[in-house]
Amino acid sequence: MATDQTMHGVPPSLSARVVGSFAYLTVRDRLPTILTKVVDTIHRNKNKFFEEYGEVGIQAEKQAISLLSKLRNELQTDKPVLALTDGLPDTDSWNQYLERQQRLQGDQEPVSWFKSPWLYVECYMYRRIHEALLLNPPISDFDVFNEGKTQSFTESSQAVMSLCTYLEGIKNNIDELSTNPLFEHFSKLMQVSLWGNKCDLSISAGQENSQKTSPLDSLYSLLPFILVDDTKRVWSALISAQRPRESGKNNADRVDIVLDNAGFELVTDLVLADFLVSSGLARQIHFHGKSIPWFVSDVTAKDFQWTIRQAMATNHKWVSKCGVQWQRYLKEGMWCYHDHPFWTQPHEFCDMAADAPDLYTTLQGADLVLFKGDLNYRKLTGDRDWEHTVSFETALRGFGPAMLCSLRTLKANIQVGLQPGQGEKLTSQDPSWMTSGKYAVIQFHNPKSE
């Protein structure tokens, strides 16, 4: 049987086939828990739907819940994965991907929840949640994850204040800063953005997960948990991409940030982006978010705009000043927000040039692309059972539209680019090191030099 396990020495995709593996426990326990919470959220909003839409809102609520309950049953009983029926622009692409998986798996068994790549079935679940709402207007655009995302932001208010205060402190004398202090600030804000990724609601199955204390205070104590730290290489890449401008400033033309979670993590990304622009390290920032609610806490356009509005309206001098500045960057085009359907599809990123050439071309326009979070790392590396010592470049399998860096706290059992023996030592000290969110990497790749 020709499967993806035999392709050119590329290891197999992680899947729930292996009983007791993290993928297995995710599909068996975490995904049904998330579906149960989604059903509960829709049910709790029944009165709101009735007030807004009358009886038709109640009918839509019932039908959406019925579809989601059916989905949960399919998942728990390892039923075949079904084609989508909602007719969205990406429906054909999803259904073609299902056919592709079936070809890879051979004819012996259908593509199903426990026997197919974990990355695929997990992405597919979120797309089916979206379908259940989409097929039931007028509640089609209800974001079932919105409450958790706004709560994560609100409950992290102390951390947001300390971060914005720190940023404004830097900006007050930014023009006088020499290279070394500028690098120190860059390094700190990269780490804050990295650890902001701990606040991930999909890994906690939607449990409250916010940043209560100042993220800056704990950076030094977290340093030993960064397993690969390519910050200096990222810095050198930004400096080498600098070009003279009419303004007299030298800066890199563009940094793209492929976002992960809303809430506190998004604020850490906005603060880093503000620093890059105001320090002259970059002229323009392009943010990439999700076009539909995704992996519980991922950023959509609505979340992005809401966060900036919340910052502007906050009764705190430096937070509101940041919010006003961020709105101005957007208005003046120094910041842009994009969403592309590819980000909410199950493809490994090595497929991007073939399956979403327009997006690949867009990323080629960047001097540096920062990929936030665990899901992006899984897609960068194909979510495969790589040896820990395999290089990041090898695991990318040709993906390299520009210089890129992954900022990721580990929440899935895949990690490449480690030193010989490093993975074994970690396993003996802390068996859950790959999935606990306690460890992190800042991993860089330059397609031109390697």
Side-chain angles (χ1 to χ4, degrees):
M1 178 172 89
T3 70
D4 61 352
Q5 303 181 24
T6 52
M7 292 185 327
H8 316 300
V10 174
S13 304
L14 297 172
S15 83
R17 279 177 190 273
V18 183
V19 175
S21 67
F22 189 68
Y24 172 82
L25 295 172
T26 298
V27 176
R28 190 193 70 180
D29 302 333
R30 196 150 48 94
L31 299 189
T33 302
I34 288 167
L35 278 171
T36 302
K37 282 185 181 287
V38 168
V39 167
D40 178 55
T41 301
I42 294 171
H43 187 62
R44 276 190 294 104
N45 281 275
K46 190 160 97 171
N47 292 343
K48 178 185 167 214
F49 299 145
F50 182 70
E51 280 164 25
E52 286 182 24
Y53 311 115
E55 200 52 51
V56 66
I58 297 287
Q59 275 309 108
E61 175 254 353
K62 279 187 183 146
Q63 284 163 331
I65 286 177
S66 163
L67 288 175
L68 291 165
S69 302
K70 180 175 172 287
L71 173 63
R72 187 174 52 199
N73 179 261
E74 288 168 23
L75 188 165
Q76 290 177 307
T77 54
D78 195 24
K79 291 282 188 297
V81 167
L82 305 175
L84 295 171
T85 62
D86 55 19
L88 271 189
D90 69 345
T91 304
D92 284 349
S93 168
W94 271 94
N95 292 342
Q96 284 158 14
Y97 197 87
L98 171 58
E99 288 166 19
R100 191 190 302 185
Q101 281 303 322
Q102 190 62 68
R103 282 196 301 277
L104 285 170
Q105 215 161 283
D107 302 327
Q108 282 89 330
E109 54 189 16
V111 172
S112 70
W113 290 87
F114 282 82
K115 297 186 190 77
S116 303
W118 165 33
L119 177 65
Y120 170 51
V121 295
E122 192 169 11
C123 290
Y124 172 78
M125 181 190 83
Y126 287 99
R127 184 59 180 79
R128 281 280 300 275
I129 291 171
H130 186 59
E131 181 184 56
L133 285 147
L134 209 79
L135 293 173
N136 288 293
I139 66 167
S140 310
D141 62 352
F142 178 69
D143 181 350
V144 291
F145 303 125
N146 184 58
E147 289 170 13
K149 290 186 278 196
T150 55
Q151 186 183 357
S152 163
F153 176 87
T154 311
E155 291 180 351
S156 305
S157 58
Q158 284 302 118
V160 171
M161 286 176 207
S162 65
L163 200 49
C164 292
T165 305
Y166 174 72
L167 177 66
E168 290 304 322
I170 302 173
K171 285 167 72 171
N172 276 341
N173 63 344
I174 206 151
D175 292 335
E176 281 84 66
L177 288 180
S178 59
T179 303
N180 282 351
L182 202 61
F183 171 73
E184 288 305 314
H185 290 310
F186 170 76
S187 180
K188 269 189 181 178
L189 290 176
M190 284 280 279
Q191 287 172 46
V192 168
S193 176
L194 169 71
W195 292 115
N197 183 240
K198 267 180 178 287
C199 302
D200 180 339
L201 294 173
S202 78
I203 200 77
S204 61
Q207 297 296 331
E208 181 273 321
N209 204 359
S210 54
Q211 175 76 30
K212 297 285 199 292
T213 55
S214 167
L216 295 149
D217 297 344
S218 49
L219 291 182
Y220 184 74
S221 63
L222 288 170
L223 277 175
F225 298 97
I226 302 177
L227 304 177
V228 179
D229 186 355
D230 288 339
T231 305
K232 286 187 172 135
R233 294 179 67 201
V234 180
W235 172 260
S236 301
L238 269 177
I239 299 302
S240 68
Q242 303 233 320
R243 301 188 267 291
R245 302 272 161 224
E246 290 155 20
S247 62
K249 265 189 174 180
N250 287 349
N251 43 26
D253 194 46
R254 193 178 115 199
V255 172
D256 285 29
I257 304 178
V258 183
L259 299 167
D260 191 22
N261 299 301
F264 178 69
E265 182 177 356
L266 176 57
V267 176
T268 68
D269 300 335
L270 296 172
V271 166
L272 175 62
D274 191 341
F275 171 77
L276 290 173
V277 169
S278 51
S279 65
L281 284 166
R283 190 177 65 87
Q284 198 179 43
I285 309 287
H286 287 223
F287 296 94
H288 300 268
K290 307 296 193 298
S291 50
I292 62 174
W294 194 249
F295 275 67
V296 186
S297 41
D298 282 21
V299 178
T300 63
K302 212 189 254 181
D303 301 324
F304 190 82
Q305 289 148 5
W306 180 88
T307 304
I308 292 175
R309 283 200 310 272
Q310 286 298 113
M312 288 168 76
T314 301
N315 189 16
H316 182 275
K317 184 178 178 184
W318 303 123
V319 179
S320 60
K321 189 175 179 193
C322 282
V324 169
Q325 180 63 64
W326 298 341
Q327 193 67 41
R328 188 179 302 136
Y329 286 147
L330 284 168
K331 201 174 164 198
E332 291 172 2
M334 291 163 82
W335 283 11
C336 321
Y337 176 90
H338 313 265
D339 45 30
H340 188 286
F342 186 82
W343 302 122
T344 50
Q345 288 176 353
H347 304 68
E348 302 169 38
F349 289 162
C350 62
D351 294 339
M352 188 192 288
D355 290 329
D358 56 331
L359 178 59
Y360 196 82
T361 304
T362 298
L363 296 182
Q364 283 177 314
D367 291 299
L368 171 71
V369 186
L370 298 176
F371 286 90
K372 291 297 310 283
D374 198 68
L375 178 62
N376 279 323
Y377 192 85
R378 288 169 62 193
K379 290 185 169 191
L380 283 164
T381 58
D383 206 40
R384 291 168 181 277
D385 197 10
W386 296 104
E387 295 287 331
H388 298 315
T389 50
V390 160
S391 71
F392 187 38
E393 181 192 6
T394 300
L396 289 168
R397 290 165 66 209
F399 179 72
M403 292 190 289
L404 61 90
C405 173
S406 170
L407 297 171
R408 175 235 184 177
T409 58
L410 279 65
K411 300 167 196 158
N413 47 351
I414 173 167
Q415 182 57 53
V416 297
L418 298 185
Q419 297 302 313
Q422 193 179 4
E424 289 77 1
K425 189 179 173 193
L426 283 159
T427 302
S428 67
Q429 290 170 345
D430 182 355
S432 65
W433 67 277
M434 277 192 282
T435 56
S436 62
K438 187 173 154 186
Y439 294 89
V441 292
I442 298 174
Q443 260 176 319
F444 175 77
H445 169 63
N446 181 355
K448 292 190 179 71
S449 71
E450 294 170 20

